Amino acid sequence: MLKIGFIGLGLMGQGMATNLIKHNFPLTIMAHRNRAPIEALCQLGANEVGTPAEVASRSDLVFVCVSTSEQMENITLGTEGLLAGANPGLIIVDCSTSLPQSTQRLSASIEAAGCHLLDAPLARTPKEAREGRLNVMVGGSQKIVDQAWPAIEAFAENIFHVGELGSAHKLKLINNYLSLSAAALAAEAAAMAANMEVDQHKLYEVCSQGGANSAMFNAVMPWVLEADETRLRFSLGNAGKDMGYLSETIAASGFDSMMLPALREVLKQAEQALGNDQYVPRLYDASMLRNEQNQ
């Protein structure tokens, strides 16, 4: 049985860590100022330590689920980072939505220390994290993926080995581009309907039964109709960060996107109007506000 470490117990991480305990993996977690998830996991049997180095020293495999590549780099390479406490052969699994170029650079340092890195970003929501039903994209060598697979299965319904290291982070950014574009379109369509005095319940009834339907449409409309944003608890700040990473990545590959700049501008304006901690369904509010100001 692999000894598991976990760093990053936010909306997704707490559910993932809980399922690892339920599957009987010995779990070490890192202290954080948000005590609620730490204390809940310790009650289930997790052990709390103070630094990434301590997590690494007690683990065969460490999951990291944070917001940015900069955080991932600091957690790994800092003076009390994972590599400072790692035993040879440690597997580090980056479940964040990270910049692929950073993933490649980080891998060189990790491999030089005799350890291994996988990129394993997540799809679906905190609800599926609690239920152990996430979709997980994994990049890395088959040998290391096979070693990590039983632990990933503890919180995943579907696991996709998509290619070499970095390929999963690239795919996740493209996945988020499609999802966020659909969410932005749904939010603006609902605001358009309100402006044109079209019944939004009828908008939902008609569009949910045809080609306009999508998972994002069904995540945005509960906020429009019922002020329920629990279907998509993903912040505008993280959305903007991810699309910035995608922009940097496609620029490095030489691809020129016509639509990505428009999406980034929509997200930027919404974040400025509402705050970076508001969830993506509130793109509807930003669209309504923008049109009120323009009248």
Side-chain angles (χ1 to χ4, degrees):
M1 181 66 72
L2 290 169
K3 293 179 291 182
I4 305 297
F6 208 107
I7 298 174
L9 298 168
L11 291 172
M12 300 290 271
Q14 183 177 359
M16 296 160 66
T18 299
N19 278 292
L20 285 162
I21 295 173
K22 289 180 178 178
H23 284 77
N24 300 314
F25 287 98
L27 186 68
T28 300
I29 58 178
M30 193 175 79
H32 192 273
R33 62 181 179 274
N34 181 7
R35 296 303 303 169
I38 299 290
E39 291 168 3
L41 289 164
C42 286
Q43 289 178 1
L44 293 174
N47 295 304
E48 178 186 1
V49 296
T51 68
E54 291 176 276
V55 174
S57 69
R58 298 177 179 219
S59 304
D60 304 308
L61 182 154
V62 177
F63 290 105
V64 183
C65 189
V66 292
S67 297
T68 69
S69 289
E70 291 77 9
Q71 289 174 303
M72 180 66 194
E73 291 173 5
N74 290 335
I75 286 166
T76 306
L77 303 176
T79 55
E80 295 185 294
L82 291 171
L83 294 186
N87 296 307
L90 175 71
I91 300 172
I92 300 171
V93 183
D94 182 7
C95 293
S96 319
T97 302
S98 295
L99 181 67
Q101 296 90 310
S102 172
T103 302
Q104 295 289 351
R105 292 193 300 267
L106 197 57
S107 175
S109 297
I110 291 171
E111 292 291 336
C115 301
H116 310 285
L117 178 65
L118 298 176
D119 53 321
L122 315 166
R124 294 185 171 171
T125 72
K127 176 179 180 291
E128 284 80 28
R130 293 190 299 271
E131 296 170 349
R133 297 180 49 249
L134 290 173
N135 288 338
V136 183
M137 296 153 266
V138 186
S141 74
Q142 186 67 60
K143 178 182 177 180
I144 305 303
V145 171
D146 288 345
Q147 292 178 42
W149 196 280
I152 298 172
E153 279 187 318
F155 52 77
E157 181 173 42
N158 301 298
I159 307 172
F160 307 93
H161 184 194
V162 299
E164 62 185 13
L165 184 78
S167 60
H169 279 150
K170 292 176 183 177
L171 180 54
K172 176 63 190 300
L173 292 174
I174 296 169
N175 176 82
N176 282 14
Y177 169 60
L178 285 167
S179 298
L180 291 168
S181 297
L185 283 171
E188 185 164 273
M192 190 183 297
N195 183 261
M196 295 168 65
E197 299 183 349
V198 172
D199 186 323
Q200 290 174 321
H201 287 86
K202 292 300 180 184
L203 173 74
Y204 180 66
E205 182 180 345
V206 171
C207 291
S208 64
Q209 299 301 315
N213 194 30
S214 71
M216 287 296 107
F217 180 70
N218 284 285
V220 169
M221 288 305 293
W223 170 252
V224 175
L225 299 176
E226 304 166 10
D228 175 8
E229 59 186 350
T230 62
R231 307 289 183 88
L232 184 54
R233 297 176 69 189
F234 188 66
S235 73
L236 292 169
N238 277 332
K241 179 268 296 183
D242 289 354
M243 292 304 94
Y245 283 174
L246 179 59
S247 181
E248 187 174 341
T249 302
I250 65 171
S253 74
F255 184 83
D256 180 30
S257 170
M258 295 180 64
M259 297 180 66
L260 179 57
L263 175 60
R264 292 189 69 192
E265 182 62 25
V266 168
L267 293 169
K268 177 183 175 181
Q269 290 188 19
E271 188 174 343
Q272 290 174 341
L274 303 174
N276 62 9
D277 59 342
Q278 298 296 329
Y279 294 139
V280 165
R282 294 196 63 182
L283 286 169
Y284 168 76
D285 299 39
S287 183
M288 292 292 289
L289 180 62
R290 184 173 62 254
N291 281 279
E292 288 171 7
Q293 293 172 340
N294 290 336
Q295 289 178 357

